[in-house]
Every structure is written in C-alpha cells, then in structure tokens.
Amino acid sequence: MAKRKDSLKKKRKGSGNGLLIAAVLLTILFLAGVMSLGALYYLEKNKEKPQTIPPKITEAAAVVTQTEEQTKESDHKNTSEDSQGESVLEKQSEETSESESELEMSSESESQTKEDESESEEESTEEESTESEEVREAKEAVLEKYKNLGMITGVRNYLNMRKGPSTDYEICGVIFKNCAVEILEEKDGWMKIESGGATGYVSAEYVTTGEKARKLALSSMKYMAEILTDSVDALYEPKEGADVITTFLKGERYDINGETKDWVEIEAVTELSGYVKRETVYTGYFLDEAIYFSLDGVSETRQDLIRKAFEYYGGTYVWGGKQLTAEGGVDCSGYTMCLYKLFGVQLPEFSGAQAEVGMTVDEDTIRPGDLIFYVGRYPGVIGHVAIYIGNGKIIHAASESKGICVSSWKYGPPVIMKNVMGD
C-alpha cells in the first residue's frame, strides 16, 4: 500500500513539471509572436514615412548645386563667347594676346547677333511704314552713294580695321556696330572696305550685305547738321548780334535740337548747344562710318588705355555719374576719372580740377591718351574733357543723346591739353 502511494506521488510530480514546461514554452512563443508583429508594424510604418533632411542641410545643398550650375554656365560662356562680352562696362582690366584682343574688339554670341539683326529689321519695317515719302526718299538718296553696301554687325562694341587681310597686320582704325562700309573686295574670309575716308580690312563674318544691310542702314540713319563753312559761330539766341557760345568747324556733324526757317540749333556736348544760320549747315541723314587713326609709335600703356576706352563706346551718359558700369553711367569727367584710375592715374572728379593735373602739351606734341579740355556753357569756364585717340579724334562722354562716342577734337576750340600719364 505504501509503495502504491509513492508511485502516485511521482506521477503527479512528473505531470506538474510537464505543465510548467509547457506553460513556459507557450509564454515564450507568445512573446516571440508579439515581438514579430511589432517588428513588422515598425518596418511597414517606416517604409511609408519619407526621409526628412534638416532645413539647413537642404539650403546648403541648394547653394552648392546653384554654385556648380553657375560655374558650369560660366565655363560654357567663357568658351563660347569672347572676353570682351564679359568686360563691356563691367570688367575693369585684362591682358590679352593679339588674337584674343581681336576677339575682344569684335565678337558677340551668335544668338544675340541674330536677335539684334531681327530687331533692326522689325524697326526698319515699322519706320518705313510711318515715315513720310519725303523722308524715305532722302534716306534712299543716301544709300545711292554706295555701290556695294555693307553694315557692321555681330560686334558688341567695335571691330579693328587692319592694313592687310589678317590679324598679323597693323591696326589702322576702328569701326563700330551698325557703321556703313563700301565693300571693295572679298578674299579668304576678309573684306577690303572703305568707310569714313579710311581703307582697311575686316573679317567678313562681321559684315552684313544685301537686303539685310539695306534695311539696317535705313533704320540706323541719323538726322544731323554738317557744317559747310570753314567755321561758324554758334549763338546763345537765334538772332543777329547775340552772344557767341562757341565756334563749330567745317565738316563736323552735330545733333539737331530744333530748327526754324532761318536757324538751326545744334548740340556739341551736354550743356553746349547754339544757334547757327541755316545757310551755314547742311541738314540731312547720315550713316556712322569708321574712325581712322594709328597707334603706331605709341607706348603699350597708352595703347591699352585707348583700347579700354573703346570698350565703353556707346555707354550711358549720366550727368554727375561716376559709375563705369552697365547699371550706372558717367559724365565726361566721370568717364576719364574712372578710366584712368584703371591705369594708376588718380584724377579729381570735375573737369576744371582735372585740367590742373599733369603737364601741358600743344597741338604738335599731343599724343593718344592725353586729355583735352573745352569751354562749357559759360564763357571762359572749363566744362568738358575728352581723351585724344589720334588723327584729330577724341572719345568722350558727350551727352545724353550720344553717350560715350567719338568726335573730332576740334568740335569746339580746345582750352588746354594735358599729359596726365606721366610719361
């Protein structure tokens, strides 16, 4: 009986142990299932959730991307456009080889050139439709002077004229955008042209011919007054006996501010206009032409200064302006002050003060790069300054209508001439 009781106790004990083990296993399986479900839920939730980047990192990445794009764009631009395109009224100074300098003076992107030509054609068509028959006939008469008309296009500012058909030949003048030329011959990509009394060679790619040239010429003509007599006094008022403001010389052309039956008011530079008798001038339409001059025998520094001065041709005139940039503008003394500063020459702000700097020169000793000073609106008071470029020509910030342009150095009597370069 005792043995039977012991056997029953052992069976009960073994059964209890089995239940405990089963319970533990079930608990473990339950926890594992819960953990698996949690993991699946977490993974699924994070799979749908987008990755977020802190704002500062996003901004920094955008800046880097923009910088890389700008760098690529700049590199592409530098390889497809000339250095002159970057420097017009913005870039301060640059040293170039002869071939680079040629491009600097002459090239522009093809798309811009086509756009300019398209705009010129549209303007010409619009003008032809609104102009009177008398004006159209007067303009057509100007074109009859040309046997083989060409117009300079595809340049941002100016193009070199050379003594022979390659860049190896000496520069003998410059010719500007929308200037008219007589084409004498064409060979091996170069054209021999005559313009403004100068004969030279230019690359044929910058000369538009045919009907496009004719339309461009018609839209580019300017109504001006040309002095017919050796000299003519310009008066403050349109009446006999009025005070003389300045003297204009034969062959010079001036903008017309107004005209009557007997008098024509012409303007030389800002605040310097006067009345001349109608019989002393010819009023009509003119096309811009080449400027002949030579820098032969002139120092490299002075040559560089003249070339730099031409880069700003056509720039904006702003009275009192001292900013030689596309967004700014300059007056006559602002132009000289900013330009000469690039070459280490410090000039005062005003023309009268600039006339007190440097060494006085005369008509026999003046060289390209010297300054010429003129009387302004008031007798005996210096009111204008210009840069002598050679062959009786100056470049200066003339007026709001002309901007930075080239004129005869005797558009009015010079008061004093100065060498401010120190050489």
Side-chain angles (χ1 to χ4, degrees):
M1 188 73 175
K3 290 182 178 179
R4 186 178 178 183
K5 287 181 179 180
D6 290 339
S7 176
L8 288 173
K9 287 181 179 179
K10 289 180 180 179
K11 287 182 179 181
R12 287 173 183 171
K13 184 177 181 180
S15 175
N17 289 338
L19 291 172
L20 180 62
I21 292 171
V24 170
L25 290 174
L26 287 172
T27 301
I28 292 173
L29 290 173
F30 175 77
L31 292 174
V34 170
M35 292 176 66
S36 297
L37 290 172
L40 289 173
Y41 173 79
Y42 176 82
L43 291 174
E44 187 66 18
K45 183 178 181 181
N46 282 276
K47 178 181 178 182
E48 296 176 354
K49 184 178 181 180
Q51 184 180 8
T52 59
I53 302 175
K56 290 186 178 179
I57 296 178
T58 303
E59 293 172 3
V63 170
V64 171
T65 303
Q66 183 179 8
T67 303
E68 291 176 348
E69 292 176 351
Q70 291 175 345
T71 302
K72 291 178 181 179
E73 182 180 352
S74 176
D75 291 341
H76 174 71
K77 182 178 181 180
N78 288 338
T79 56
S80 63
E81 293 186 352
D82 59 281
S83 58
Q84 188 267 345
E86 301 168 359
S87 63
V88 175
L89 295 176
E90 294 179 5
K91 193 174 181 182
Q92 297 302 309
S93 61
E94 182 178 29
E95 294 181 0
T96 59
S97 64
E98 181 62 25
S99 59
E100 291 172 335
S101 180
E102 185 70 19
L103 286 174
E104 183 175 320
M105 298 174 184
S106 62
S107 63
E108 182 180 36
S109 64
E110 181 179 353
S111 60
Q112 183 64 47
T113 301
K114 291 180 178 179
E115 182 179 342
D116 289 345
E117 291 176 354
S118 176
E119 289 177 355
S120 296
E121 289 180 17
E122 290 177 2
E123 291 173 0
S124 176
T125 302
E126 183 178 349
E127 287 181 7
E128 288 178 357
S129 63
T130 58
E131 288 174 345
S132 67
E133 184 67 25
E134 182 180 2
V135 170
R136 285 197 296 271
E137 289 179 356
K139 287 188 173 183
E140 289 290 350
V142 175
L143 296 185
E144 291 177 3
K145 300 176 183 178
Y146 294 87
K147 295 180 180 179
N148 192 4
L149 174 69
M151 294 291 290
I152 299 299
T153 57
V155 296
R156 198 177 294 274
N157 271 30
Y158 69 101
L159 179 68
N160 283 330
M161 288 181 63
R162 295 184 175 273
K163 290 185 176 181
S166 83
T167 55
D168 296 331
Y169 287 90
E170 180 188 343
I171 297 171
C172 61
V174 294
I175 190 164
F176 301 97
K177 181 179 179 180
N178 293 344
C179 278
V181 303
E182 181 71 48
I183 301 172
L184 303 178
E185 62 180 57
E186 181 178 1
K187 184 178 180 181
D188 298 329
W190 287 80
M191 283 186 177
K192 184 178 181 180
I193 62 169
E194 191 281 326
S195 181
T199 300
Y201 292 81
V202 297
S203 176
E205 64 179 304
Y206 302 115
V207 183
T208 294
T209 60
E211 184 61 18
K212 283 187 176 181
R214 190 190 75 84
K215 289 183 177 181
L216 180 57
L218 289 172
S219 66
S220 301
M221 288 185 191
K222 300 175 182 177
Y223 185 65
M224 305 180 76
E226 182 177 85
I227 306 299
L228 298 176
T229 59
D230 289 339
S231 64
V232 57
D233 290 334
L235 310 179
Y236 277 98
E237 298 177 89
K239 65 180 183 181
E240 297 285 356
D243 292 337
V244 176
I245 183 172
T246 190
T247 301
F248 295 130
L249 304 177
K250 185 177 182 178
E252 294 306 309
R253 297 172 186 170
Y254 300 96
D255 290 337
I256 298 174
N257 287 348
E259 53 186 321
T260 64
K261 178 182 177 182
D262 300 318
W263 297 88
V264 179
E265 183 186 7
I266 59 179
E267 179 185 76
V269 295
T270 292
E271 296 189 352
L272 183 58
S273 62
Y275 296 89
V276 297
K277 296 296 292 291
R278 177 167 290 281
E279 61 264 26
T280 64
V281 297
Y282 165 77
T283 57
Y285 291 92
F286 297 90
L287 282 164
D288 287 337
E289 295 181 308
I291 305 297
Y292 174 78
F293 72 98
S294 175
L295 295 177
D296 195 24
V298 179
S299 70
E300 287 293 330
T301 301
R302 286 176 177 258
Q303 289 187 38
D304 291 342
L305 184 142
I306 298 302
R307 292 190 181 105
K308 179 60 68 174
F310 278 131
E311 288 185 18
Y312 304 105
Y313 180 88
T316 304
Y317 178 96
V318 175
W319 190 85
K322 309 296 178 187
Q323 298 182 42
L324 203 56
T325 63
E327 296 77 18
V330 291
D331 59 9
C332 63
S333 58
Y335 179 49
T336 53
M337 183 185 74
C338 294
L339 183 66
Y340 281 75
K341 185 178 180 180
L342 301 178
F343 294 85
V345 179
Q346 302 295 327
L347 294 176
E349 291 188 5
F350 306 107
S351 56
Q354 290 181 7
E356 298 177 2
V357 177
M359 180 177 63
T360 301
V361 296
D362 57 29
E363 189 170 338
D364 295 327
T365 59
I366 191 170
R367 291 175 291 165
D370 288 339
L371 295 178
I372 304 179
F373 297 87
Y374 303 85
V375 171
R377 180 71 178 174
Y378 305 101
V381 179
I382 289 176
H384 191 69
V385 59
I387 303 166
Y388 185 65
I389 62 174
N391 196 41
K393 300 294 183 181
I394 55 174
I395 185 168
H396 57 153
S399 63
E400 291 183 1
S401 61
K402 291 182 178 179
I404 297 175
C405 64
V406 173
S407 306
S408 166
W409 73 315
K410 290 187 177 180
Y411 75 84
V415 176
I416 193 171
M417 305 174 222
K418 285 295 191 78
N419 170 9
V420 298
M421 297 296 290
D423 58 1

